[in-house]
C-alpha cells in the first residue's frame, strides 16, 4: 500500500529515551565486525558472560569498563580492569569517569573501539 504524502513517518528512537543513537564499533582487534548499539542506560564491555558487549580479546577483563548514558551524554568508567581502559590514548584510572564524545577511540586490551553518537532530529 502506498503511503500518502500527509502521513508522518515514525522516528525510531532507542527504547530508554535517549535522543541519540550510540554505538561502539571494533576498529582493530580479533573481531573486526563487532558492533554494539547502546540500548540501555548502562552497558558493560568485557569478555565475560556478564558483559553486554563481549569483546573477543584475552587481554580484556571479564567486566572491563562501563558505558553509562545520562540523557544526551555518555560516560566511560574503568571497572578495575587488569590492563586498563584507554580513551584517545590516555589511560582512565579506576573509578574515574570520562565523558565520551562522537568519534572517541576507546582501547580495551589490544582491541580498539570507536564511539559513535548520532543525534535524532525532531520531525514533528
Amino acid at each position: 500500500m502506498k503511503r500518502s504524502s500527509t502521513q508522518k513517518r515514525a522516528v525510531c528512537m532507542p527504547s530508554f529515551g535517549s535522543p541519540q543513537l550510540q554505538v561502539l564499533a571494533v576498529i582493530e582487534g580479533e573481531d573486526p565486525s563487532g558492533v554494539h548499539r547502546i540500548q540501555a542506560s548502562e552497558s558493560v564491555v568485557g569478555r565475560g558472560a556478564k558483559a553486554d558487549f563481549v569483546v573477543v580479546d584475552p587481554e580484556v577483563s571479564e567486566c572491563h569498563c562501563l558505558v553509562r548514558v545520562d540523557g544526551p551524554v555518555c560516560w566511560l568508567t574503568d571497572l578495575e580492569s587488569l590492563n586498563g581502559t584507554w580513551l584517545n590514548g590516555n589511560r582512565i584510572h579506576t573509578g574515574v569517569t570520562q565523558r565520551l564524545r562522537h568519534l572517541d577511540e576507546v582501547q580495551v586490551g589490544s582491541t580498539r573501539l570507536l564511539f559513535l553518537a548520532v543525534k535524532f532530529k525532531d520531525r514533528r
Side-chain angles (χ1 to χ4, degrees):
M1 179 178 199
K2 194 172 186 178
R3 184 187 349 226
S4 75
S5 61
T6 58
Q7 289 178 318
K8 290 185 178 181
R9 288 187 215 188
V11 176
C12 183
M13 299 289 279
S15 60
F16 65 95
S18 173
Q20 326 190 83
L21 168 70
Q22 294 107 350
V23 175
L24 282 172
V26 177
I27 56 174
E28 184 179 304
E30 292 187 31
D31 182 14
S33 64
V35 176
H36 175 68
R37 179 177 175 185
I38 300 167
Q39 294 182 306
S41 59
E42 292 187 342
S43 292
V44 173
V45 177
R47 65 176 166 81
K50 293 182 181 180
D52 300 298
F53 180 27
V54 177
V55 177
V56 181
D57 183 337
E59 296 178 27
V60 172
S61 297
E62 288 191 20
C63 293
H64 198 98
C65 62
L66 173 74
V67 176
R68 186 174 46 83
V69 180
D70 185 12
V73 179
C74 284
W75 301 95
L76 179 67
T77 307
D78 181 76
L79 297 175
E80 299 181 4
S81 65
L82 184 62
N83 293 316
T85 302
W86 301 77
L87 177 61
N88 297 321
N90 299 308
R91 186 173 184 151
I92 297 175
H93 297 285
T94 298
V96 175
T97 300
Q98 294 286 319
R99 183 176 180 172
L100 281 173
R101 299 181 195 281
H102 180 61
L103 299 179
D104 274 349
E105 186 179 303
V106 177
Q107 184 163 343
V108 292
S110 60
T111 301
R112 290 176 37 226
L113 309 168
L114 185 65
F115 176 73
L116 303 168
V118 179
K119 289 185 180 182
F120 289 107
K121 292 182 180 180
D122 188 5
R123 295 187 180 197
R124 291 181 224 172

